[in-house]
Amino acid sequence: MSISRHLLPRRPGVIATLVAVLTAFVTALSTLLLVSTAQAAAPAQLPVRVKNNSGQSGPLYLYVLGVDLKTDKLGYVDRAGRFTPWSLPGGDDPAPAPDVSIAGPDDGAAVTLKIPRNLSGRIYFSFGQKLAFSLVADGLVQPAPWNPSDKNADTLFDWSEFTFNDAGLWLNSSQVDQFALPHQVNVTSGDGSTDKTGDLVDGGRQKVIDAIKHTKGFERTVITGDDGQVLRVLAPGKATDAGLLAADYLDDYIAKAWKSYSGKKLTVVPFAHEPEKKFFGSSSGGKLIFTDTAGKQVASFARPSTSDVWDCDGNLAAPNDLVVGPIARTLCAALHRGTLGASTAEPVSDPESFYRTDLTNHYSAIIHANMVDKKAYGFAFDDVTGQESLIHSGDPAEAGIILDPLS
């Protein structure tokens, strides 16, 4: 799971309410990792080298925003690695956030940021102009460019997500909301080994754009600026919200997949490390009803809408538990990948079986196909069977983000 990505709240653009769930999740994960592996203590500040290979001539601006996992306070980090909590307004009316941008490197150059330990959040990067953030009483309003009235809708920008605590660093590139600025993320551990992900194939950005433009139903999800430059490709859920993708796009496929289990059983094994933990589903009255190995009913899911699938929410909402949540995320991943209905066991782990149906998440399929390692965060639970663009080190010495060429 992309730690900072999946635990963002459903309210668009606000990161305040992630604190309690995020802290609980990271604490549990940290405890597990610390118990299971002997690791050196994480440094107080982690250097993150940002290299600009974009080919863009305009100025680049960087932002480090997040949650202090010790205090639950939202804030920002300066170039030297100092965390400062936001001064939140008293009312509900949004107030402009102060400019906390960090000057980024010119094309071909690099700068090194520092991230303090016990922080979870995002590193934003924008070209040409600074991003506009707002503050409300309960937190920070982040850019939402799928809303044409958002002040950042005409800005070329993207972000990486991270959590850095005593158990190490998790860092990912994300395409859950949009595909805009391709970038590699990497981490070098104390032993000198380096792990990386997020690299596109040569010309990959344009290949993704061209493929999306030629995919029936998805043509309008490519957003172009007034100067003719492509700013982003919207993920299906965001494109649907903007009226650029049919709201019922997946409905026929979902109905067939749901109905198929009236005549056969679906076995869900949500944890690869616990193969004996199984749940059995069958369709009845428009619902998928699951029992455990003792025959006890443990979960029931009404047939989801297309929007429920794109957002992994609504009838597919995944609570932070050990039964309903894991089943929900498995079902959501299967519906995105088009394996539900054809399979009798989920999750299907062979990527060659993904995206074979006519009605599927073509956006995610195209992005995965153009990644060097075939890993991406094409939707919220793309980490099911480890398809996500996430790296982790329990003993990080340095991390990096490399902005790839746009053309």
Side-chain angles (χ1 to χ4, degrees):
M1 169 180 290
S2 167
I3 295 176
S4 54
R5 151 61 30 212
H6 297 316
L7 297 173
L8 291 175
R10 300 299 179 184
R11 177 181 173 188
V14 182
I15 66 173
T17 55
L18 73 91
V19 176
V21 175
L22 178 60
T23 304
F25 183 85
V26 173
T27 300
L29 182 58
S30 301
T31 301
L32 173 63
L33 289 170
L34 288 169
V35 169
S36 62
T37 58
Q39 301 169 353
Q45 291 185 331
L46 181 70
V48 179
R49 186 172 184 266
V50 180
K51 178 73 181 295
N52 181 2
N53 287 343
S54 67
Q56 293 288 104
S57 58
L60 172 63
Y61 303 100
L62 308 175
Y63 302 80
V64 182
L65 312 176
V67 179
D68 184 321
L69 297 174
K70 293 293 188 180
T71 66
D72 292 349
K73 291 185 179 296
L74 295 161
Y76 62 91
V77 175
D78 64 17
R79 183 169 176 171
R82 291 183 291 263
F83 176 82
T84 301
W86 297 109
S87 294
L88 299 178
D92 291 331
D93 292 334
D99 178 11
V100 298
S101 61
I102 300 168
D106 294 334
D107 184 41
V111 299
T112 298
L113 310 176
K114 293 182 179 179
I115 296 178
R117 188 170 62 230
N118 296 313
L119 188 73
S120 182
R122 291 176 171 177
I123 300 174
Y124 280 92
F125 21 92
S126 67
F127 279 108
Q129 55 189 352
K130 296 180 180 180
L131 292 173
F133 296 90
S134 297
L135 297 170
V136 291
D138 62 347
L140 175 71
V141 181
Q142 300 183 91
W146 38 90
N147 179 353
S149 65
D150 187 274
K151 294 180 180 179
N152 304 285
D154 295 324
T155 302
L156 178 63
F157 76 96
D158 217 322
W159 63 85
S160 286
E161 298 166 339
F162 67 90
T163 290
F164 175 47
N165 63 12
D166 290 339
L169 173 73
W170 290 262
L171 177 64
N172 70 270
S173 61
S174 175
Q175 301 81 32
V176 171
D177 294 329
Q178 63 169 10
F179 173 82
L181 292 173
H183 55 282
Q184 177 205 113
V185 293
N186 59 74
V187 61
T188 300
S189 297
D191 62 4
S193 62
T194 297
D195 192 13
K196 65 178 183 177
T197 190
D199 267 332
L200 282 171
V201 299
D202 289 344
R205 185 177 191 265
Q206 192 61 48
K207 290 178 180 178
V208 169
I209 292 167
D210 290 343
I212 292 289
K213 284 183 175 180
H214 291 90
T215 299
K216 185 178 180 181
F218 284 70
E219 304 93 338
R220 296 194 297 150
T221 66
V222 178
I223 308 301
T224 303
D226 292 338
D227 60 357
Q229 183 179 46
V230 172
L231 297 173
R232 61 189 57 86
V233 180
L234 293 179
K238 301 305 182 187
T240 300
D241 292 344
L244 302 175
L245 184 66
D248 61 351
Y249 181 81
L250 287 178
D251 282 6
D252 287 347
Y253 163 63
I254 296 169
K256 291 176 182 177
W258 226 245
K259 187 177 180 180
S260 71
Y261 296 104
S262 61
K264 60 185 177 184
K265 288 282 188 181
L266 173 64
T267 301
V268 171
V269 184
F271 305 110
H273 64 285
E274 293 183 89
E276 73 286 350
K277 192 167 188 176
K278 300 177 181 180
F279 303 100
F280 307 99
S282 60
S283 180
S284 177
K287 294 183 177 182
L288 264 180
I289 299 170
F290 285 87
T291 58
D292 60 17
T293 53
K296 177 185 176 182
Q297 181 176 325
V298 293
S300 176
F301 299 90
R303 190 174 79 193
S305 66
T306 291
S307 179
D308 291 342
V309 174
W310 292 146
D311 296 337
C312 292
D313 201 359
N315 288 343
L316 288 176
N320 190 28
D321 66 1
L322 296 177
V323 178
V324 178
I327 297 174
R329 64 197 303 273
T330 302
L331 293 175
C332 191
L335 287 165
H336 273 268
R337 295 167 178 166
T339 60
L340 198 73
S343 63
T344 55
E346 289 287 353
V348 173
S349 59
D350 179 12
E352 294 297 320
S353 301
F354 299 168
Y355 311 113
R356 295 291 189 180
T357 52
D358 291 336
L359 300 176
T360 191
N361 188 342
H362 294 289
Y363 166 88
S364 181
I366 290 167
I367 293 173
H368 276 278
N370 284 283
M371 289 290 182
V372 171
D373 61 5
K374 307 304 179 188
K375 299 295 180 68
Y377 255 119
F379 59 91
F381 289 126
D382 218 352
D383 59 317
V384 171
T385 71
Q387 305 303 309
E388 76 279 23
S389 51
L390 171 70
I391 51 174
H392 168 254
S393 171
D395 179 25
E398 182 182 28
I401 298 173
I402 301 175
L403 304 182
D404 289 338
L406 268 67
S407 60

